[in-house]
Amino acid sequence: QVQLVESGGGLVQAGGSLRLSCAASERTFRNYPMAWFRQAPGENREFVAAITQFGVGTRYVESVKGRFTISRDNAKNTLYLQMNSLKPEDTAKYYCAASNRPLVAAQGEYAYWGQGTQVTVSS
């Protein structure tokens, strides 16, 4: 079982940048396709981005394309989300998750989840 811990959230002004990290407890991290999800207050949790085991393939929700970049460093057992040109509507708690299927957007396909890190974008 892989444990996931997110970090890097915070308060940023609109137009700013943040990089989120997700540290995994196991070297088996490299076996898992990974993803980022987010949940705003009063909203359902939504898919943000996904990446294949070796980082060759990625997938993004339309609203973040061109602004967010998902990446991973398997040697460091770490997943990243670089977020640029942030908007107030990006405000949410961001979660990383691990799946056995690559590039899927459905939450039910993800067996392991972190506790989340809060991102707040002020206007």
Side-chain angles (χ1 to χ4, degrees):
Q1 181 174 348
V2 61
Q3 294 181 328
L4 304 170
V5 179
E6 301 94 336
S7 62
L11 174 63
V12 63
Q13 289 188 329
S17 298
L18 282 174
R19 187 176 82 155
L20 305 183
S21 298
C22 171
S25 60
E26 302 288 335
R27 285 185 294 176
T28 54
F29 168 79
R30 68 190 63 192
N31 296 336
Y32 292 98
M34 298 292 296
W36 288 97
F37 289 77
R38 66 186 178 186
Q39 186 169 21
E43 302 289 333
N44 293 326
R45 189 157 54 184
E46 68 166 348
F47 169 81
V48 176
I51 190 167
T52 53
Q53 290 95 314
F54 297 103
V56 175
T58 58
R59 176 183 178 181
Y60 298 90
V61 67
E62 191 66 32
S63 60
V64 308
K65 283 182 180 178
R67 300 188 299 122
F68 290 12
T69 302
I70 187 171
S71 63
R72 65 192 297 163
D73 185 338
N74 287 343
K76 296 182 178 179
N77 296 337
T78 304
L79 175 74
Y80 301 101
L81 185 67
Q82 178 67 44
M83 306 186 295
N84 298 328
S85 302
L86 282 160
K87 305 175 180 180
E89 51 264 43
D90 294 318
T91 294
K93 195 166 188 179
Y94 284 71
Y95 300 86
C96 64
S99 175
N100 288 314
R101 294 184 61 197
L103 305 181
V104 292
Q107 297 181 52
E109 297 288 349
Y110 290 84
Y112 304 109
W113 293 82
Q115 294 300 305
T117 185
Q118 179 67 38
V119 171
T120 303
V121 184
S122 63
S123 58

